[in-house]
Amino acid sequence: MVPVTYYVALSAVLFVIGVLGVLLRRNALIIFMSVELMLNSANLVFVAFARLFEGLAGQVFVFFVMTVAAAEVAVGLALIVAIFRSKRSVDVDQMSSLKG
Amino acid sequence: MTNLVLFLVLAVVAVVTALGMLLSRNAVYAALFLVLNFATVAVFYILLEAPFIAMTQVTVYAGAIMVLFLFVIMLLGAERLPGTEPLPWQRPLAIFLALVLAVEAGYLLFARRAAGGMFASAAPDFGSPQAIGTMLFNRYLLPFEVTSVLLLVAMVGAIVLTKKEKGGRE
Amino acid sequence: MDSALILEWVIKSAILIFVLLTGFAYLTLFERRALARIQVRIGPNRAGPFGLLQPVADGLKLIFKEELTPAEADKVLFTLAPVVTVVPALILAAVIPWGRDVTLFGRQVSLSVADLNVGVLYIMAVSSIAVYGIVLAGWSSNNKYALLGGLRSSAQMISYELALGLAFVPAILLADSMRMVDIVEAQHPWWFVVIQPVGTAIFLIATLAEVNRAPFDMPEAEQELTAGYHTEYSGMKFALFFMAEYAKMIVISSIAATLFFGGYLGPGVDRYPWLGPLYLFIKIVILLFGMIWLRATFPRIRYDRLMAFGWKVLLPLALAVTFITALGIVLEMLWLIPVLSLAAGLFTVAMVHRALRRKAYARA
């Protein structure tokens, strides 16, 4: 079997890539995807530790994280569509003014 | 041994697809790389004896969330963006900060490597839909109901945000 | 894990894929012949007896046709899209049980490729992946009709997936399991179509939308979108889309047969387990004929009405049906389920009828 440390390390790498995506990219959609990647890497650790400690609480928590992610994406994409309607762009640098 | 090889191959796929998401210029490709990444993570869940979570992962992330992303990208025609760079110091700073985070995580993993431990063989019904359902509807009933309210709020929010105003143009 | 088990899996998978591919070829012939009979024509009858060699001739023609790739298309995704469409259609069939365990060459062989304890969720997961092929085909063709077709289909499939997912729930609740074999065995005295007729109807309607069949074949509506997402495809790539659609029809019919029509159950299965696959086959053919009949009968629904139907009619009804099923199980009064759900279904039909009548008056 694979030790749990490997899973934690993989999850850390994925999380760092997600952080880089949020910090480096200008496309609001890709920033959003990077957030999803980070949530996902956290889920991976939850499931790994649920397996290690043989408790299902970790898996149940992942279930909740997925629901929250789904809700977040629905609202976030709606926001992006609304911003695109007024600004004609999804570049986060264009979203600097407070008036719509 | 087989498990280790499988883990390493899948880990490489996961990291490469995540990097592909980060580096691809085209948003459609980024979304597709992320779909592959989610699918790989779903395979990890199966390896970790969480079939229910794995299937939910594919249905919710790959099947719903990423399709929505693709839908919005194609609808807005936002797949290619001109690379604007108004903050010249941001890129090096971002890479530096990410490196700090990575080193920190690596140090913690190295310092506490003894705390990890191997997986014991799990009970046969570990992670089965029945077990998760029992837990979800007994101990975690309140959070479950709260999530349903959250989903309702998100649904209302999404509709309000995108609905065209009555009488107005567009 | 011994090598005999792996060999068994390989053989079963090979048989399954072979059956699906031959089934696809002959389903096209079956559809053309059946449609022709309904439209008082004869249909293809030249190649071989009763036109039985027609699929072979079609296949040869498609292989030798020229393959065009639009100049401005995204080459990688354009090639990948047909593959991404076919694969889910084929692997979807893995969890369907064809019969009880049989003894073959001194081994106990279970007649399904994979007996997962999350079988129903697997079906949902894989069918939710299927939308990618169509969306990517539409986008990568760099053609406005194709893009519109792809967008329509993705919106349509996401919308109807909700009703489809909820239609699985009555079967799961009644069988108390997500394992396909358990669901089939739980239908021993009564098929679930008897206990939950409205749930079955919702499932069948949602699957029609899910495989883009008439009257929900909006993504390829030829009068408005030339051919929708596969406008730019030709030759074998087009054949792959065609194959995916028909293979999906077969698989979806077998899922419907398994979940609601008793799967491999039938008279005499207890004594002769080999009858199981035969019963399943007969049920699949009947369901497929139903799909073809619908195509011959109903005109295509307007797109906004399709979405309104999915969200405002099918989804609430599916929620009501789920609730009614749970209620009947908790109260331990199974007869309550068909009565209440039929009442809910009739109420819905009446409301839709009223709304349509009002619209007709308003127009006149």
Side-chain angles (χ1 to χ4, degrees):
Chain A
M1 279 304 277
V2 185
V4 71
T5 323
Y6 287 23
Y7 281 100
V8 181
L10 173 67
S11 156
V13 172
L14 291 181
F15 192 87
V16 169
I17 294 174
V19 170
L20 271 176
V22 172
L23 292 180
L24 286 180
R25 298 303 299 263
R26 288 272 149 274
N27 189 332
L29 286 160
I30 292 187
I31 290 177
F32 223 151
M33 288 183 213
S34 305
V35 174
E36 294 301 317
L37 182 65
M38 288 193 275
L39 282 174
N40 223 47
S41 72
N43 282 354
L44 183 59
V45 176
F46 268 120
V47 175
F49 278 110
R51 175 74 178 75
L52 182 70
F53 298 128
E54 299 217 20
L56 281 178
Q59 295 192 14
V60 171
F61 203 87
V62 169
F63 184 81
F64 288 132
V65 172
M66 281 180 191
T67 329
V68 173
E72 171 216 332
V73 164
V75 177
L77 286 180
L79 275 175
I80 290 178
V81 170
I83 289 171
F84 186 85
R85 277 206 189 130
S86 64
K87 296 263 178 197
R88 294 276 133 208
S89 163
V90 291
D91 192 326
V92 280
D93 286 326
Q94 309 283 320
M95 305 171 193
S96 46
S97 64
L98 283 174
K99 269 203 303 187
Chain B
M1 195 58 217
T2 346
N3 260 321
L4 186 64
V5 173
L6 199 57
F7 175 86
L8 288 179
V9 171
L10 286 171
V12 168
V13 173
V15 171
V16 166
T17 48
L19 283 174
M21 193 272 303
L22 176 65
L23 298 175
S24 56
R25 292 279 113 203
N26 191 326
V28 172
Y29 275 85
L32 291 177
F33 274 123
L34 198 57
V35 172
L36 260 183
N37 184 280
F38 288 162
T40 326
V41 173
V43 180
F44 278 127
Y45 291 165
I46 291 176
L47 287 181
L48 290 168
E49 320 236 351
F52 179 82
I53 294 295
M55 291 305 151
T56 323
Q57 160 99 356
V58 175
T59 317
V60 174
Y61 271 115
I65 292 183
M66 292 318 291
V67 174
L68 269 188
F69 266 107
L70 270 183
F71 190 81
V72 169
I73 293 170
M74 291 176 183
L75 195 70
L76 303 184
E79 53 259 30
R80 277 177 199 286
L81 279 180
T84 50
E85 209 48 70
L87 301 174
W89 43 266
Q90 193 186 7
R91 186 171 289 258
L93 186 68
I95 292 173
F96 173 72
L97 286 177
L99 267 180
V100 169
L101 188 60
V103 168
E104 203 176 340
Y107 171 73
L108 268 180
L109 275 177
F110 184 74
R112 308 214 36 194
R113 62 192 181 282
M118 305 290 270
F119 298 117
S121 58
D125 70 334
F126 179 77
S128 70
Q130 282 90 350
I132 291 194
T134 313
M135 201 148 186
L136 206 55
F137 292 120
N138 288 318
R139 247 174 93 185
Y140 295 95
L141 186 61
L142 183 66
F144 185 80
E145 295 297 333
V146 172
T147 350
S148 69
V149 175
L150 178 75
L151 282 176
L152 184 67
V153 170
M155 202 162 74
V156 173
I159 292 172
V160 168
L161 280 173
T162 47
K163 200 168 169 20
K164 289 169 193 160
E165 276 169 44
K166 272 220 173 95
R169 51 176 185 84
E170 256 251 328
Chain C
M1 198 181 294
D2 56 336
S3 56
L5 191 63
I6 292 176
L7 188 69
E8 186 192 316
W9 283 344
V10 169
I11 292 174
K12 280 196 289 195
S13 311
I15 291 176
L16 187 64
I17 288 176
F18 177 77
V19 166
L20 275 180
L21 295 189
T22 350
F24 138 72
Y26 278 93
L27 179 57
T28 60
L29 180 70
F30 177 53
E31 169 164 44
R32 288 171 71 181
R33 295 284 293 192
L35 274 182
R37 289 312 290 259
I38 291 171
Q39 295 160 354
V40 204
R41 295 185 285 120
I42 294 173
N45 65 342
R46 295 284 151 169
F50 310 109
L52 278 177
L53 293 178
Q54 186 68 36
V56 184
D58 285 342
L60 283 176
K61 182 193 78 171
L62 282 168
I63 289 172
F64 287 114
K65 274 211 167 179
E66 185 185 0
E67 288 210 17
L68 295 170
T69 308
E72 291 291 306
D74 190 313
K75 300 279 186 308
V76 180
L77 291 184
F78 190 77
T79 320
L80 205 60
V83 182
V84 176
T85 317
V86 168
V87 170
L90 295 182
I91 62 174
L92 203 52
V95 286
I96 295 160
W98 319 326
R100 293 224 176 91
D101 292 3
V102 291
T103 318
L104 200 64
F105 307 120
R107 279 182 62 92
Q108 188 85 354
V109 179
S110 73
L111 285 183
S112 69
V113 175
D115 184 20
L116 302 178
N117 64 351
V118 286
V120 177
L121 275 181
Y122 172 87
I123 292 173
M124 271 182 72
V126 176
S127 64
S128 67
I129 293 295
V131 68
Y132 280 104
I134 292 174
V135 176
L136 290 180
W139 180 77
S140 63
S141 305
N142 200 13
N143 171 322
K144 62 181 170 193
Y145 296 119
L147 181 63
L148 277 175
L151 286 182
R152 275 185 178 189
S153 83
S154 63
Q156 172 182 333
M157 283 168 95
I158 293 179
S159 309
Y160 278 77
E161 220 158 69
L162 297 171
L164 185 68
L166 282 172
F168 282 129
V169 177
I172 298 173
L173 287 177
L174 288 169
D176 203 10
S177 170
M178 284 191 181
R179 193 187 290 270
M180 298 295 269
V181 177
D182 293 350
I183 290 179
V184 174
E185 291 298 335
Q187 305 182 44
H188 209 2
W190 298 105
W191 292 354
F192 286 165
V193 66
V194 182
I195 304 179
Q196 188 46 277
V198 181
T200 313
I202 293 171
F203 183 85
L204 292 177
I205 294 172
T207 49
L208 268 186
E210 200 73 1
V211 295
N212 294 329
R213 286 286 301 180
F216 302 126
D217 55 347
M218 222 58 54
E220 39 193 313
E222 58 265 29
Q223 287 89 348
E224 333 161 23
L225 292 177
T226 60
Y229 61 91
H230 58 57
T231 304
E232 298 285 1
Y233 281 89
S234 53
M236 263 330 265
K237 291 200 191 105
F238 170 74
L240 283 180
F241 279 117
F242 209 61
M243 183 199 280
E245 182 184 333
Y246 283 80
K248 237 191 260 170
M249 273 172 74
I250 299 174
V251 174
I252 287 276
S253 305
S254 58
I255 292 170
T258 307
L259 287 181
F260 295 105
F261 295 94
Y264 52 76
L265 292 180
V269 160
D270 295 327
R271 208 175 313 151
Y272 309 103
W274 278 111
L275 280 175
L278 188 68
Y279 283 128
L280 186 62
F281 179 76
I282 293 171
K283 286 168 187 171
I284 291 173
V285 170
I286 292 173
L287 285 171
L288 284 174
F289 178 72
M291 279 189 180
I292 293 165
W293 193 0
L294 281 178
R295 175 177 170 183
T297 309
F298 288 112
R300 190 176 296 131
I301 298 179
R302 219 170 64 197
Y303 190 67
D304 57 329
R305 287 209 175 148
L306 170 92
M307 296 301 277
F309 182 68
W311 284 103
K312 297 177 189 165
V313 179
L314 222 48
L315 184 62
L317 184 61
L319 279 172
V321 159
T322 308
F323 177 74
I324 289 166
T325 312
L327 192 72
I329 290 172
V330 169
L331 296 180
E332 291 182 2
M333 290 191 278
L334 281 189
W335 58 269
L336 210 61
I337 299 174
V339 173
L340 281 182
S341 56
L342 275 178
L346 284 178
F347 177 72
T348 313
V349 171
M351 292 312 279
V352 171
H353 180 68
R354 226 171 75 118
L356 289 180
R357 278 278 293 275
R358 270 211 192 133
K359 268 188 190 146
Y361 277 128
R363 212 178 298 131

